[in-house]
Amino acid sequence: MSRNHHALIQSFVDMINSHDISTMPEHTASGHIDHNPVVADGIEANQAFWVQVFTAFPDLKGVLHDVIVEGDRVAARLEYTATHQGTFLGIPATGRSVNFQSIDIWRVEDGLLAEHWDQLNMDDIFRQLGVDPAALGQS
């Protein structure tokens, strides 16, 4: 019997808030598939992505607002706050604060997050950083 899906997502958020990627195997499958174009598949790639995020935003905090479960799928709405203190997607540190939300969907397999899709308004994040998204080729 797989563990509670809400607790599984809370474990993911706890990893974000503690910045402790060593806990990732507790909630993420080794063969994790990520449909975000800047995150490669596999738990090691996912861990490397989060290290980059934590380096760029060392005070990053996430808040879990909603969790919806349907079969092997879990959807969640998360809100993040952080200060841009290191290079992120090629953008040098700006010292600016950001606040953004994501909608994430995971497929759960054997009690672990096996596959992930997300939606973020990257243009809004870039604007908060004072960067023109069109100049980055991201828009």
Side-chain angles (χ1 to χ4, degrees):
M1 173 61 93
S2 66
R3 64 185 181 164
N4 178 290
H5 289 355
H6 190 281
L8 183 62
I9 300 306
Q10 186 60 58
S11 176
F12 170 77
V13 174
D14 291 346
M15 180 276 301
I16 291 170
N17 289 332
S18 69
H19 297 202
D20 184 1
I21 63 163
S22 73
T23 65
M24 197 169 277
E26 296 172 15
H27 52 75
T28 302
S30 61
H32 185 266
I33 299 167
D34 208 305
H35 296 280
N36 181 318
V38 299
V39 184
D41 292 342
I43 194 169
E44 293 85 7
N46 206 279
Q47 288 172 314
F49 167 77
W50 283 106
V51 166
Q52 291 175 351
V53 171
F54 298 148
T55 300
F57 300 97
D59 61 347
L60 178 74
K61 293 294 178 200
V63 175
L64 182 59
H65 287 293
D66 298 296
V67 176
I68 300 167
V69 178
E70 178 68 32
D72 68 348
R73 306 297 166 137
V74 180
R77 181 174 62 91
L78 296 123
E79 182 176 7
Y80 300 91
T81 56
T83 309
H84 184 213
Q85 298 179 41
T87 301
F88 175 66
L89 298 177
I91 303 166
T94 63
R96 293 179 178 222
S97 295
V98 294
N99 178 278
F100 60 95
Q101 293 189 20
S102 69
I103 302 293
D104 297 83
I105 300 171
W106 292 271
R107 181 178 59 80
V108 177
E109 183 178 292
D110 297 327
L112 296 172
L113 304 173
E115 194 167 3
H116 174 250
W117 299 261
D118 63 353
Q119 290 292 312
L120 296 121
N121 184 340
M122 291 303 295
D123 285 355
D124 182 52
I125 295 170
F126 291 140
R127 278 191 272 288
Q128 290 180 59
L129 295 176
V131 176
D132 178 7
L136 296 172
Q138 300 284 328
S139 187

